[in-house]
Amino acid sequence: MFPYETSLVRETRVEDASHCTLEYDPDPDRWPWLALPCWHPVVAEKYAYFSGVTAGLAVGVLQPATFTALTGMQWSYHGDTAGARYPLRARCRSLLEDSAAAYSVDARDAADRTLFRIEGQGVIFRNRDFDAWREQRRRLHGEDGNAARLDRAGAGACGVTDAAVVRIGAYDAEKQVCLALLTRADGFHPGHPYHTGSGDHVNAAQLLDCASQAAHAVLLHEGLRAPDSGALVCLGGKARFRNYIELGTIFSIRLTELLQEEPGAFDLRFDLHQHEAVCARLTLRFAAG
């Protein structure tokens, strides 16, 4: 849910019990992540989040008082990789099965061209005292003052120009892993240039951002990206979320597979670990640079 920030959606029109159309308000003064290229995985996740929740509320799949958690999403980017056009409207489908909600989004630009196709799934907490459960998990797995230090990788290795956005350490090629860390102080705007969120845990957009930085570091090490190439275009991805990753404690991003399944695109698959548990599995596809 989004009690901590206004919605990206400015208008909703319900078509039937499962479908609705959305009009977005991509205002850069409210959404600092709009400084990113349209194809960036953080942008994809933000549109997925606001679309899925808003559409679910509109058709009654979600209720305002319920807590939800994203368990999975996949998306593909279909826009101009050289442009910066953000979706202005979308058609969404929302479904409910037991305690799980699912949605699909076809997000389009002003010329009615598809920019993103997104599918997502989430769990609805119906009978759990969510706040008490989260407080217990934070006490068990949360901020560790001794661990809340990390030497960050260089901006160029991560495919960014601003060192202030980097939240990973240098790539350890022998272990095929990067360490990462976000805190409440530096993980959210204005402490971070563009991340927004509730501050309850490391959110999906932050995890995708860290994985994107790790992917650029891997491709640089493998000689598949030039040192001065900057950010590669993200063509899409897939994510599965198992457990919350807590703020203030280091987690690891471990490369499990690097594939070039078709010319011009690399798939990088990562397992994200915290406290020795696999908390998320992410796949990102990049255009070869």
Side-chain angles (χ1 to χ4, degrees):
M1 311 297 281
F2 43 83
Y4 49 86
E5 54 189 355
T6 55
S7 177
L8 176 68
V9 179
R10 66 181 175 188
E11 185 176 344
T12 307
R13 293 187 294 275
V14 176
E15 297 178 5
D16 56 39
S18 300
H19 297 87
C20 65
T21 56
L22 308 176
E23 297 286 339
Y24 299 116
D25 183 20
D27 181 353
D29 291 332
R30 288 194 298 138
W31 314 113
W33 41 266
L34 287 172
L36 297 168
C38 182
W39 42 258
H40 198 285
V42 168
V43 176
E45 193 280 335
K46 290 299 185 183
Y47 272 92
Y49 170 74
F50 284 111
S51 301
V53 171
T54 304
L57 288 169
V59 301
V61 166
L62 303 179
Q63 300 300 319
T66 58
F67 284 95
T68 64
L70 183 69
T71 56
M73 64 174 287
Q74 60 186 43
W75 78 97
S76 54
Y77 178 70
H78 300 268
D80 179 2
T81 57
R85 301 180 185 89
Y86 300 97
L88 295 179
R89 61 181 62 92
R91 188 170 190 262
C92 304
R93 182 175 186 238
S94 303
L95 300 173
L96 179 64
E97 295 181 358
D98 297 325
S99 61
Y103 62 91
S104 61
V105 182
D106 182 1
R108 296 173 173 263
D109 65 11
D112 206 35
R113 295 171 295 202
T114 296
L115 294 184
F116 286 109
R117 287 197 174 98
I118 305 168
E119 295 181 356
Q121 308 85 41
V123 62
I124 300 173
F125 298 104
R126 296 188 184 278
N127 302 312
R128 173 180 284 172
D129 185 339
F130 184 82
D131 290 332
W133 173 69
R134 286 296 298 131
E135 181 60 31
Q136 181 182 35
R137 280 193 57 86
R138 277 193 290 267
R139 286 199 302 268
L140 290 173
H141 305 296
E143 298 193 18
D144 180 351
N146 294 322
R149 292 179 178 273
L150 179 69
D151 292 329
R152 296 177 185 172
C158 299
V160 300
T161 57
D162 182 3
V165 309
V166 176
R167 292 296 178 270
I168 69 167
Y171 178 56
D172 184 331
E174 182 178 352
K175 296 180 179 178
Q176 295 187 299
V177 69
C178 290
L179 300 181
L181 175 67
L182 290 98
T183 69
R184 284 183 177 82
D186 72 6
F188 302 91
H189 188 75
H192 187 281
Y194 52 75
H195 280 307
T196 58
S198 67
D200 178 80
H201 57 277
V202 183
N203 62 37
Q206 293 166 326
L207 296 178
L208 289 167
D209 196 21
C210 289
S212 177
Q213 294 177 15
H216 281 78
V218 169
L219 293 172
L220 178 64
H221 176 268
E222 296 295 328
L224 299 173
R225 180 177 76 86
D228 57 352
S229 62
L232 300 178
V233 172
C234 185
L235 301 174
K238 181 184 296 185
R240 294 290 178 268
F241 303 103
R242 297 183 172 184
N243 295 301
Y244 284 135
I245 289 181
E246 304 296 344
L247 294 159
T249 299
I250 287 175
F251 60 95
S252 63
I253 305 170
R254 186 176 303 279
L255 179 71
T256 60
E257 200 164 20
L258 169 57
L259 300 172
Q260 189 168 10
E261 294 183 339
E262 60 184 60
F266 296 111
D267 284 8
L268 295 96
R269 297 174 182 170
F270 297 99
D271 280 357
L272 278 60
H273 296 250
Q274 192 177 64
H275 299 293
E276 300 181 357
V278 177
C279 298
R281 287 190 161 146
L282 310 180
T283 300
L284 294 175
R285 169 167 286 196
F286 291 94

